[in-house]
Amino acid sequence: MNHLSRILYASRSSVGVGEAELNDILEVSRKKNKLLQITGILCTGGGHFIQILEGPQDELIRLYCRILDDRRHYDSVLIGVAPIQQRIFKDWSMGYIENPPHIMEAHRNQLLEIWRGRTEAHQLFTLMREFLDQLGR
Ligand code: FAD
């Protein structure tokens, strides 16, 4: 069975990755994700990426492996992968949020704390709702 799942990871953008590279990533992502029934968001700022991807588990894992191999980012930390009942970002093949560097730094640190098990995992959900609210603006 190909269950619906969600992946969240944080990474750092490689040297030389600017607006043009980012636009390229977004354009390809939106096209490919639609075909694969994958939804989610990409947050950037201050040299950080945070991405949430939702979709059928097999396609999701395959896509995540492909992204992991992409040299436009590095130091990727998989914060979580879990089955879900419904999508949070159902209207977004790849929503995009640009945050100030200090906000992204704080989000990455918060995610690493969750990953290390020092912070309650439900805070992940709060962060995702925050991202969703930002997309709605
Ligand atoms: P190709 O473009 O032929 O890719 C072949 C390989 O080269 C892949 O491993 C790819 O990762 C890598 N690659 C491609 N272009 C570059 C480049 N300019 N510099 C360095 N390496 C490169 N793709 C999606 O489909 N959906 C997403 O949600 C998504 N999110 C991404 C988030 C981030 C932070 C990054 C960095 C990339 C993301 N991508 C996403 C792009 C993804 O990594 C692939 O480039 C894309 O899916 C096309 O892969 P491909 O194998 O079909 O083709």
Side-chain angles (χ1 to χ4, degrees):
M1 270 195 285
N2 201 356
H3 293 289
L4 207 56
S5 296
R6 180 182 299 129
I7 277 179
L8 189 155
Y9 74 87
S11 64
R12 294 178 190 274
S13 65
S14 301
V15 173
V17 173
E19 207 179 319
E21 290 73 19
L22 198 57
N23 286 338
D24 190 44
I25 290 170
L26 287 173
E27 197 186 324
V28 170
S29 299
R30 285 175 178 148
K31 229 179 270 167
K32 292 202 149 200
N33 293 0
K34 208 167 267 176
L35 291 173
L36 297 171
Q37 296 181 338
I38 285 178
T39 50
I41 51 154
L42 182 66
C43 304
T44 64
H48 294 282
F49 286 121
I50 293 173
Q51 191 172 33
I52 300 170
L53 296 163
E54 307 169 322
Q57 182 173 264
D58 294 359
E59 285 78 6
L60 196 66
I61 302 288
R62 258 182 239 122
L63 172 62
Y64 175 66
C65 291
R66 201 161 66 228
I67 295 173
L68 208 51
D69 273 348
D70 197 314
R71 279 166 292 130
R72 288 172 287 188
H73 68 159
Y74 68 103
D75 202 8
S76 186
V77 181
L78 179 60
I79 307 298
V81 47
I84 53 171
Q85 295 297 322
Q86 53 191 23
R87 298 170 191 253
I88 292 184
F89 301 99
K90 60 181 184 336
D91 298 327
W92 305 88
S93 62
M94 190 40 57
Y96 175 63
I97 298 172
E98 192 179 354
N99 274 322
H102 71 281
I103 300 278
M104 286 301 285
E105 191 75 36
H107 283 330
R108 183 179 164 100
N109 289 338
Q110 185 189 6
L111 290 174
L112 291 179
E113 288 298 295
I114 291 168
W115 177 64
R116 293 184 186 111
R118 292 193 195 133
T119 308
E120 294 298 318
H122 70 78
Q123 293 200 3
L124 261 187
F125 193 70
T126 310
L127 184 64
M128 288 182 207
R129 299 300 317 184
E130 230 176 83
F131 287 154
L132 189 63
D133 289 347
Q134 270 185 279
L135 283 174
R137 265 186 232 150

